[in-house]
Amino acid sequence: MSDLALPLKREYFEQIKVGEKWFEYRLCNDYWRKRLDGHGAYDRIILTLGYPRRDDSERRLIRPWRGYTTATIIHPHFGPDPVEVYVIDVRPE
């Protein structure tokens, strides 16, 4: 089984957990291009609150892989200028 692991800050982890946030953003750079464009499809996404121990299920959310798109956004996390991002679908089943 092929998993995409996405460590998150608490704010974003909690928003996804309660269903307020359906998409996770990653910059379109070489690091993420290799993992997304160069990989093919994943089976699932594992969203973690930081970097938890393997047995810490409270800090893990598992979602099905539904793919991604790209977009240009302005977001405080990336600074004041528009940036190109991968928009990864993290909705629950």
Side-chain angles (χ1 to χ4, degrees):
M1 185 172 279
S2 182
D3 297 332
L4 174 63
L6 297 177
L8 305 171
K9 293 182 177 187
R10 180 173 300 278
E11 171 186 7
Y12 305 127
F13 182 86
E14 295 297 336
Q15 288 173 352
I16 292 169
K17 187 175 181 176
V18 299
E20 293 175 357
K21 185 174 192 257
W22 292 352
F23 301 100
E24 181 58 22
Y25 305 105
R26 293 293 188 262
L27 279 176
C28 287
N29 58 26
D30 288 340
Y31 180 86
W32 287 105
R33 193 169 295 111
K34 253 192 267 186
R35 279 145 191 83
L36 297 173
D37 291 343
H39 183 276
Y42 289 95
D43 295 311
R44 61 189 187 165
I45 302 170
I46 300 177
L47 303 156
T48 62
L49 175 55
Y51 296 90
R53 295 185 328 260
R54 284 193 183 273
D55 62 349
D56 190 350
S57 60
E58 292 297 312
R59 293 175 56 176
R60 290 181 191 281
L61 300 172
I62 298 175
R63 299 287 195 254
W65 173 252
R66 288 197 176 92
Y68 66 90
T69 60
T70 58
T72 301
I73 65 169
I74 296 174
H75 190 281
H77 181 78
F78 299 116
D81 299 324
V83 292
E84 187 78 14
V85 295
Y86 291 106
V87 182
I88 303 167
D89 188 336
V90 295
R91 291 174 293 161
E93 291 187 57

